[in-house]
């Protein structure tokens, strides 16, 4: 039996993978998380804020802000929570993990090399993205998402812009015509 592995995923707001890293299970999740955040900064320089599980808290929050310029915010469990509960910021990662578990090969760690496991997870996300790009679009959601609060889903009123009548633009002097 091989050593247990730990999967570290960084996903965007739609649940698509930004960075995938697989490591041997360590005593604390924040140890390999520095490498994950560094990879994330290299590939996505526009990233400013990252939401993480409370296991990634502690000194990692200060390190990511001072060295990488990423504000790392942890999502703690609720005080009255027993067992698993869906939290508004963490459900995107939990949903992405369930998507990669649909691929039978990702359910168990069959690979000998960690790079093979990372590749299979990335391959699963590529397959998922291609399927989403090729299917017809769904109608937009009219109500708030069941996990997110109602205040977060309230959209601001659209801004109306007054447009003047289009003016003709001359590309050449009239003497040349």
């Amino acid at each position: 039996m091989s050593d247990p592995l730990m999967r570290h995923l960084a996903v965007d707001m739609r649940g698509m993978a930004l960075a995938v890293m697989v490591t041997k299970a360590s005593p604390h999740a924040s140890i390999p998380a520095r490498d994950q955040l560094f990879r994330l900064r290299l590939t996505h320089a526009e990233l400013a804020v990252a939401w993480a599980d409370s296991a990634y808290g502690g000194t990692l929050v200060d390190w990511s802000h001072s060295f990488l310029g990423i504000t790392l915010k942890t999502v703690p469990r609720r005080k009255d929570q027993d067992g698993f509960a869906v939290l508004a910021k963490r459900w995107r990662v939990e949903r992405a993990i369930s998507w990669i578990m649909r691929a039978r090969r990702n359910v168990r760690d069959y690979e000998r090399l960690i790079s093979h496991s990372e590749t299979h997870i990335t391959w699963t996300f590529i397959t998922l993205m291609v399927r989403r790009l090729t299917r017809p679009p769904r109608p937009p959601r009219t109500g708030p998402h069941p996990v997110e609060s109602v205040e977060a889903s309230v959209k601001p009123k659209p801004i109306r812009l007054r447009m003047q009548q289009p003016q003709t633009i001359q590309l050449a002097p009239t003497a040349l015509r």
Side-chain angles (χ1 to χ4, degrees):
M1 184 167 188
S2 64
D3 295 333
L5 298 178
M6 182 179 267
R7 296 172 176 156
H8 303 274
L9 294 176
V11 298
D12 64 1
M13 295 300 282
R14 293 171 301 186
M16 292 295 126
L18 297 176
V20 175
M21 188 172 91
V22 178
T23 61
K24 290 185 179 180
S26 65
H28 200 269
S30 66
I31 295 170
R34 288 182 183 217
D35 188 33
Q36 173 74 349
L37 285 171
F38 186 71
R39 287 184 188 186
L40 195 60
R41 172 50 80 197
L42 288 176
T43 55
H44 299 281
E46 72 280 359
L47 185 72
V49 178
W51 293 90
D53 187 72
S54 58
Y56 293 100
T59 59
L60 185 64
V61 175
D62 298 328
W63 181 86
S64 66
H65 185 66
S66 60
F67 286 102
L68 300 176
I70 298 174
T71 304
L72 187 66
K73 296 182 180 181
T74 59
V75 181
R77 294 173 57 141
R78 295 186 189 120
K79 303 289 185 212
D80 59 342
Q81 178 179 337
D82 289 333
F84 177 77
V86 177
L87 298 175
K89 300 290 182 191
R90 286 176 33 186
W91 73 272
R92 290 178 174 93
V93 176
E94 300 296 338
R95 180 182 61 179
I97 290 171
S98 72
W99 291 339
I100 65 170
M101 289 300 161
R102 283 191 216 160
R104 193 169 39 137
R105 181 120 184 209
N106 294 328
V107 174
R108 302 279 182 265
D109 295 317
Y110 295 119
E111 288 78 24
R112 284 198 203 152
L113 299 176
I114 289 176
S115 61
H116 290 179
S117 184
E118 285 180 0
T119 303
H120 282 288
I121 292 171
T122 306
W123 189 6
T124 302
F125 274 113
I126 290 170
T127 304
L128 182 69
M129 285 189 271
V130 167
R131 284 184 186 154
R132 290 204 177 155
L133 287 171
T134 56
R135 73 176 177 207
R138 304 191 280 195
R141 185 187 318 260
T142 57
H145 194 277
V147 175
E148 295 180 349
S149 63
V150 177
E151 297 87 30
S153 65
V154 174
K155 293 182 180 177
K157 293 182 179 179
I159 299 172
R160 288 188 167 178
L161 299 175
R162 286 189 178 166
M163 299 294 291
Q164 294 179 353
Q165 293 295 327
Q167 298 176 356
T168 57
I169 299 173
Q170 289 185 344
L171 299 177
T174 56
L176 297 176
R177 290 185 186 177

